[in-house]
Amino acid sequence: RGRLTMGVRVAPLGGSHVLLLLDDRTQARRVEEIRRDFVANVSHELKTPVGGLALLAEAVEGAADDPEAVERFAQRMRVEATRLTRLVQEIVDLSRLQVADTLHEPVIVDVSEVAAEAVERSRLVADAKGIEIATALDEGVHVFGDRELLITAVSNLVGNAIAYSGNDTKVAVAVHDADHGIVEVAVTDQGQGIPEQEQQRIFERFYRVDPARSRATGGTGLGLAIVKHVCANHGGEVTVWSEEGRGSTFTMRLPAAPDSAADTHSSPNTE
Ligand code: ADP
């Protein structure tokens, strides 16, 4: 709508038919550019693990009479294959989110239950690094949306908090009703932090502050892009506060579902 209004202003001859057509073309070109970029990025990102697997397969063949080496290469093949599976899954998730700007069949979702589930899914990885996850999850905090997508988003934030923090640090996950009908989900870590000039770029697809480190931790560079789209599709946003060497807080802010909707499990429009 905004774009159309601008079109009307610059058109010298008026004629809404022509204007609509122009706007359509600009929009179509933009979508096409995004799609081309995405395909280029995806092929580049897929080449790394696929190339890695091919090299490892060769190495296995060459080491046929050294069982220990075969075991070592096989282990690395498993790691690459797992990463590839995750990458493909995230590419599918992200393209679905990008195609649909809105949610399919939104329902009332208990945000603290979502956060608890996300924490549970990260428990093993956290334990392996001696990281304690503290939670402060208020009851009765609801949004209108998609439970699985929200779990994915919070899991991505918790997973990053663990991946980019040292051993024996703490991660905190909090859910509460902020003012003005906004629900906040905040994930705080005591990790390496993010340089200020990088803080906006990290939400772009495949953008990483340190690509080598991200790969080493099994990162795909898509996690935060997915979080951003899940928040947008719920009518909200995600922001970051971070200080290098001290840690980061990622905050999702989503419109709260009205209380009555949560009580009756009906849509917010029916009260
Ligand atoms: P990745 O799979 O690489 O983690 P993300 O999209 O989830 O991809 O994150 C993009 C980049 O943002 C990461 O590679 C990392 O550089 C940075 N980042 C994300 N979360 C954190 C965090 N909690 N602490 C420090 N850096 C982070």
Side-chain angles (χ1 to χ4, degrees), residues 86 90 156-157 160-165 187 189 191-194 201-211 213-215 217-227 242 247-250:
R86 211 181 115 200
E90 292 194 346
N156 286 355
L157 294 182
N160 280 347
I162 296 167
Y164 299 102
S165 293
V187 179
D189 64 56
Q192 65 193 61
I194 302 151
R201 301 213 61 190
I202 53 174
F203 295 98
E204 295 170 19
R205 304 177 300 229
F206 298 119
Y207 190 85
R208 303 143 166 131
V209 176
D210 177 353
R213 167 150 188 167
S214 159
R215 289 219 170 82
T217 57
T220 60
L222 289 177
L224 288 179
I226 289 174
V227 176
S242 184
S248 312
T249 297
F250 285 83

Side-chain angles (χ1 to χ4, degrees), residues 137-179:
L137 311 176
D138 285 358
E139 278 179 26
V141 180
H142 297 93
V143 296
F144 203 53
D146 183 314
R147 178 174 174 273
E148 272 309 313
L149 284 180
L150 290 167
I151 293 176
T152 301
V154 181
S155 296
N156 286 355
L157 294 182
V158 176
N160 280 347
I162 296 167
Y164 299 102
S165 293
N167 289 352
D168 306 315
T169 53
K170 286 200 176 105
V171 168
V173 180
V175 169
H176 70 276
D177 249 325
D179 287 342

Side-chain angles (χ1 to χ4, degrees), residues 6 10 54 103 128 135 160 219:
M6 270 173 58
V10 294
L103 297 162
T135 53
N160 280 347

Side-chain angles (χ1 to χ4, degrees), residues 8-255:
V8 170
R9 245 186 272 129
V10 294
L13 299 174
S16 62
H17 216 79
V18 174
L19 284 168
L20 248 166
L21 208 64
L22 280 175
D23 182 74
D24 254 14
R25 282 201 192 147
T26 320
Q27 177 70 2
R29 203 177 302 139
R30 217 177 60 84
V31 169
E32 176 57 21
E33 267 168 25
I34 292 173
R35 199 193 61 83
R36 241 197 338 248
D37 268 11
F38 188 48
V39 171
N41 283 343
V42 163
S43 7
H44 175 79
E45 294 293 330
L46 287 174
K47 274 181 193 152
T48 312
V50 171
L53 278 172
L55 285 176
L56 286 164
E58 266 176 41
V60 168
E61 280 165 4
D65 47 5
D66 180 352
E68 254 177 45
V70 169
E71 175 58 32
R72 215 170 44 242
F73 292 136
Q75 167 76 24
R76 281 175 50 196
M77 287 177 88
R78 267 198 298 277
V79 171
E80 283 299 299
T82 307
R83 217 176 81 76
L84 192 55
T85 309
R86 211 181 115 200
L87 184 57
V88 170
Q89 182 57 52
E90 292 194 346
I91 288 167
V92 172
D93 286 350
L94 188 57
S95 35
R96 280 212 192 105
L97 283 166
Q98 288 182 148
V99 169
D101 281 343
T102 48
L103 297 162
H104 184 44
E105 279 175 357
V107 294
I108 298 294
V109 182
D110 178 331
V111 183
S112 287
E113 191 271 327
V114 159
E117 175 65 25
V119 168
E120 218 34 59
R121 291 188 190 181
S122 300
R123 188 75 72 186
L124 279 180
V125 199
D127 285 350
K129 287 181 81 170
I131 290 178
E132 185 195 322
I133 307 181
T135 53
L137 311 176
D138 285 358
E139 278 179 26
V141 180
H142 297 93
V143 296
F144 203 53
D146 183 314
R147 178 174 174 273
E148 272 309 313
L149 284 180
L150 290 167
I151 293 176
T152 301
V154 181
S155 296
N156 286 355
L157 294 182
V158 176
N160 280 347
I162 296 167
Y164 299 102
S165 293
N167 289 352
D168 306 315
T169 53
K170 286 200 176 105
V171 168
V173 180
V175 169
H176 70 276
D177 249 325
D179 287 342
H180 308 299
I182 297 293
V183 167
E184 282 187 357
V185 184
V187 179
T188 302
D189 64 56
Q190 303 172 324
Q192 65 193 61
I194 302 151
E196 200 174 341
Q197 67 274 19
E198 311 269 8
Q199 287 177 12
Q200 286 320 306
R201 301 213 61 190
I202 53 174
F203 295 98
E204 295 170 19
R205 304 177 300 229
F206 298 119
Y207 190 85
R208 303 143 166 131
V209 176
D210 177 353
R213 167 150 188 167
S214 159
R215 289 219 170 82
T217 57
T220 60
L222 289 177
L224 288 179
I226 289 174
V227 176
K228 188 176 99 177
H229 277 92
V230 170
C231 289
N233 288 16
H234 282 79
E237 56 166 14
V238 56
T239 55
V240 61
W241 173 94
S242 184
E243 214 173 292
E244 266 186 285
R246 283 195 61 187
S248 312
T249 297
F250 285 83
T251 308
M252 294 168 55
R253 286 194 185 78
L254 310 170

